[in-house]
Amino acid sequence: MPPNIVFFFVDDMGWQDTSLPFHTEVTQLNENYYTPNMVQLAEDGVKFTQAYATAVCSPSRISLMTGMNAARHMVTNWTLRKDQSPDPEHSIIQPPEWNMNGLSNQKGDSLTYFATTLPQILQQNGYQTIHVGKAHFGAKDTPGSDPRNLGFDVNIAGHAAGGPGSYLGKYNYSADWRQPGNLIWDVPGLDKYHGTDVFLTEALTIEAKEAVSEAVEDGSPFYLYMSHYAIHAPWEKDERFYTKYEGGGLSQFDAVFAAMIEGMDKSLGDIREHLNNLGVSDNTIIVFMSDNGSPKQATRNLPLRGHKLLPYEGGVRVPMVVYWPGVSQAGTTEDQYVIIEDVFPTFLEMAGVASKQIPETDGISFVPMLKGEEVDEQERPIFWHFPHTYDQFPYSAMRKGKWKLIYRHTERALELYDIENDLGESTNLVESETQKTEELAKILTSYLLETRALMPIDNRTGKAIEMPSEHI
Ligand code: CA
């Protein structure tokens, strides 16, 4: 029987928001947080120290579902309301007509990206596909808002919104208590927990376990997309763990954040225990990942620079651990970089899907890394594209080897960093490394042209922002 796959996906969790160190040394954040189940997973599997996502929710999730880079799928910012972009007006820059309605199951829907999804292909190959938690694939009132239209047999609590109204059962997981009439964030389908003291993370875990039990009973392999709303805003006290952190030297925000992280980690432990109890843990792959860096409200992910939405490492580098029983080597570390679109071909290969059934994508399978085969992708270029004014400057960026190039659209300015020797991206080397800057600017330009990436418009000229190679 093909292996079951559990994708344990956390929202807005930074690289260091865990007691499992992803850096070469233990940092303050590793001391602040307590995630014993992540530590255990890393002892059993492979810790990826340079895993990347995009810098914000929906683009990462669409890349995961389609294997495509955000420049190509054009869902480059977070989605929510149909035909509406969250980008505020800007004096110079206007975002392009991006795919603000998200992913769709049919061709030609306005402002959507259409593709065969990862769960669809798994479904066609006999998998039970289970969606639990945050979806955030398509705008409200579009087909993509319902995971069942995108290849999932079961949907628990997923819809258009990228955050819960509340994590608290007593508030029915709604924001209505805070802001009457604000119902767009209401978590659907968890009515039986309404009015209880069950924290959302726990409710999702209980439901996921039940769905897994049913799949095992049916005798089919399953794909569990365990997509926690945690630790995205609104940051609310998980009372099961909060008192432990209160008064322990952390700020009030950090104590709340730490409790939410521990609640998420407990979920990982509970699910693993459940797999053991069902007797399927030896044939179940577990992949842990986050969809972008920690939010700007959280304590900085030192030594990384920046936070969610930014192209710096603090925005895009995320925790990742992979455990493949009988294949991955226990307690090992993988230092080569991977990016979120790589998950798509990887999972299909893990599931034994015939290669002719695996669509051509931007992702590259990291199965060889897990098998301990000789892999050298250090010169592979990877890309980010955010032509938006929402909460940050618009940019395109890339990494190749130890180099990171960032192109700021508004200023038409380039930044070059040596990630290997300057992980904190403190020294811009554009002036001293002119040849490297030129080389990367050309590669980035070619990629943006090849993917037909949408560039923002300069209000003063009405024209699209020029390509980076024009500003070397
Ligand atoms: Ca996110």
Side-chain angles (χ1 to χ4, degrees):
M1 176 139 119
N4 308 305
I5 302 173
V6 174
F7 189 55
F8 196 94
F9 202 31
V10 186
D11 198 4
D12 286 11
M13 180 185 178
W15 193 52
Q16 299 277 53
D17 295 336
T18 160
S19 52
L20 175 67
F22 282 85
H23 187 38
T24 46
E25 56 197 75
V26 174
T27 65
Q28 183 59 49
L29 288 188
N30 299 145
E31 308 275 1
N32 290 357
Y33 302 126
Y34 183 59
T35 58
N37 294 298
M38 280 185 72
V39 171
Q40 184 62 52
L41 189 67
E43 277 174 22
D44 296 337
V46 186
K47 179 170 78 173
F48 282 72
T49 59
Q50 300 200 68
Y52 289 106
T54 78
V56 63
C57 307
S58 304
S60 277
R61 287 154 199 271
I62 309 303
S63 291
L64 192 66
M65 288 285 272
T66 65
M68 295 305 184
N69 184 271
R72 201 184 303 275
H73 63 57
M74 299 176 187
V75 186
T76 40
N77 201 352
W78 62 278
T79 55
L80 181 60
R81 294 177 174 87
K82 195 178 179 190
D83 299 330
Q84 286 182 47
S85 173
D87 289 304
E89 276 193 33
H90 186 277
S91 57
I92 300 175
I93 293 285
Q94 191 186 314
E97 284 279 286
W98 61 287
N99 280 334
M100 58 190 80
N101 291 334
L103 188 59
S104 182
N105 61 345
Q106 51 211 22
K107 233 181 186 140
D109 273 356
S110 152
L111 300 175
T112 61
Y113 184 66
F114 166 78
T116 304
T117 67
L118 172 64
Q120 272 168 350
I121 302 171
L122 290 172
Q123 211 174 35
Q124 288 157 9
N125 283 273
Y127 276 74
Q128 268 266 25
T129 52
I130 306 161
H131 180 282
V132 181
K134 166 167 164 169
H136 210 190
F137 301 128
K140 193 170 162 55
D141 303 322
T142 70
S145 64
D146 186 342
R148 285 172 302 183
N149 292 330
L150 299 172
F152 286 103
D153 296 312
V154 176
N155 170 37
I156 296 159
H159 67 140
S166 168
Y167 284 90
L168 305 182
K170 69 174 174 180
Y171 295 136
N172 306 337
Y173 310 119
S174 171
D176 192 44
W177 67 279
R178 220 172 26 233
Q179 199 186 352
N182 184 3
L183 307 178
I184 199 166
W185 308 96
D186 284 17
V187 179
L190 296 177
D191 298 25
K192 67 177 167 196
Y193 300 95
H194 288 185
T196 71
D197 62 358
V198 180
F199 204 73
L200 179 56
T201 307
E202 179 73 9
L204 296 176
T205 307
I206 295 167
E207 294 298 308
K209 282 161 53 178
E210 266 179 38
V212 165
S213 292
E214 280 170 30
V216 171
E217 217 164 277
D218 288 352
S220 50
F222 62 85
Y223 171 51
L224 171 63
Y225 181 72
M226 181 70 238
S227 172
H228 275 294
Y229 280 96
I231 46 181
H232 191 284
W235 301 286
E236 291 170 313
K237 286 178 197 168
D238 188 335
E239 297 287 358
R240 297 173 296 167
F241 306 103
Y242 177 71
T243 45
K244 181 177 146 184
Y245 295 99
E246 188 187 26
L250 298 182
S251 68
Q252 157 88 9
F253 181 94
D254 283 353
V256 170
F257 208 63
M260 289 176 77
I261 288 170
E262 189 168 346
M264 169 283 294
D265 183 78
K266 177 183 182 289
S267 169
L268 176 63
D270 288 355
I271 286 170
R272 292 196 72 189
E273 189 187 0
H274 190 63
L275 296 170
N276 269 332
N277 293 341
L278 293 172
V280 297
S281 52
D282 287 347
N283 194 35
T284 303
I285 297 165
I286 302 174
V287 178
F288 182 105
M289 200 176 184
S290 167
D291 72 335
N292 51 251
S294 51
K296 66 181 175 189
Q297 292 86 349
T299 298
R300 221 183 108 189
N301 251 270
L302 290 171
L304 306 187
R305 176 177 174 179
H307 48 75
K308 177 178 177 178
L309 290 160
L310 282 167
Y312 302 110
E313 297 289 296
V316 293
R317 193 184 283 219
V318 293
M320 177 169 151
V321 183
V322 180
Y323 170 49
W324 187 354
V327 176
S328 58
Q329 294 293 308
T332 54
T333 298
E334 176 58 64
D335 293 321
Q336 299 209 63
Y337 53 77
V338 293
I339 187 162
I340 194 151
E341 49 260 37
D342 297 344
V343 171
F344 182 103
T346 301
F347 282 6
L348 295 178
E349 189 177 346
M350 285 169 159
V353 172
S355 51
K356 63 174 191 303
Q357 241 190 299
I358 301 179
E360 184 96 349
T361 63
D362 293 318
I364 296 177
S365 168
F366 50 79
V367 163
M369 292 182 192
L370 299 169
K371 288 185 170 167
E373 289 166 12
E374 198 66 36
V375 180
D376 185 12
E377 286 171 7
Q378 283 306 290
E379 287 304 309
R380 168 197 180 193
I382 55 172
F383 302 91
W384 297 271
H385 184 59
F386 182 75
H388 297 281
T389 55
Y390 178 78
D391 218 17
Q392 288 310 323
F393 57 87
Y395 59 81
S396 305
M398 67 172 288
R399 177 166 176 186
K400 185 173 188 285
K402 65 177 187 172
W403 302 101
K404 163 100 76 82
L405 183 81
I406 297 169
Y407 176 50
R408 290 182 178 237
H409 296 157
T410 314
E411 301 87 353
R412 278 79 158 172
L414 291 165
E415 295 172 22
L416 182 74
Y417 300 102
D418 175 346
I419 298 297
E420 212 170 271
N421 297 302
D422 178 23
L423 185 57
E425 295 165 284
S426 60
T427 310
N428 181 2
L429 300 170
V430 159
E431 300 293 333
S432 55
E433 295 282 352
T434 49
Q435 238 180 331
K436 189 51 77 177
T437 302
E438 196 172 319
E439 178 197 326
L440 295 193
K442 281 182 180 158
I443 296 171
L444 180 56
T445 297
S446 301
Y447 191 73
L448 294 172
L449 290 172
E450 188 244 308
T451 54
R452 298 167 177 253
L454 299 168
M455 299 300 280
I457 312 297
D458 189 317
N459 289 329
R460 298 165 301 189
T461 62
K463 288 185 179 159
I465 300 295
E466 309 80 32
M467 287 290 138
S469 60
E470 290 179 48
H471 290 281
I472 299 162

